[in-house]
Amino acid sequence: MCSSDLAPLADPGATQRLAHSLEQAAACLRRNEIEQARSLLEDVLRSGDETQREFARMLLSRLG
């Protein structure tokens, strides 16, 4: 296997930022700040890993 066959490693900073975005979105939902939560969750959908995207989709489904 050559190095070009390996998937790039996730950027730990980006992963941490997106995890924080999910936490912030959940807090926004608790405060009924729907548009702010939606914005944060859409960012996670664009840039997150599969687990983060799945959680973001679950939170977005609560918005209707």
Side-chain angles (χ1 to χ4, degrees):
M1 177 185 316
C2 70
S3 63
S4 64
D5 293 336
L6 298 174
L9 297 175
D11 175 7
T15 300
Q16 186 175 17
R17 180 185 64 78
L18 291 167
H20 182 70
S21 291
L22 285 171
E23 292 171 10
Q24 288 296 108
C28 286
L29 289 174
R30 288 191 296 273
R31 294 188 305 265
N32 206 31
E33 296 171 353
I34 304 304
E35 290 310 311
Q36 179 67 23
R38 187 183 310 275
S39 176
L40 289 163
L41 294 169
E42 288 172 352
D43 181 46
V44 173
L45 286 177
R46 283 189 299 276
S47 305
D49 64 25
E50 184 55 38
T51 301
Q52 291 168 329
R53 290 192 309 263
E54 183 177 326
F55 191 68
R57 282 190 290 271
M58 185 269 304
L59 290 177
L60 279 168
S61 72
R62 294 180 180 183
L63 303 180

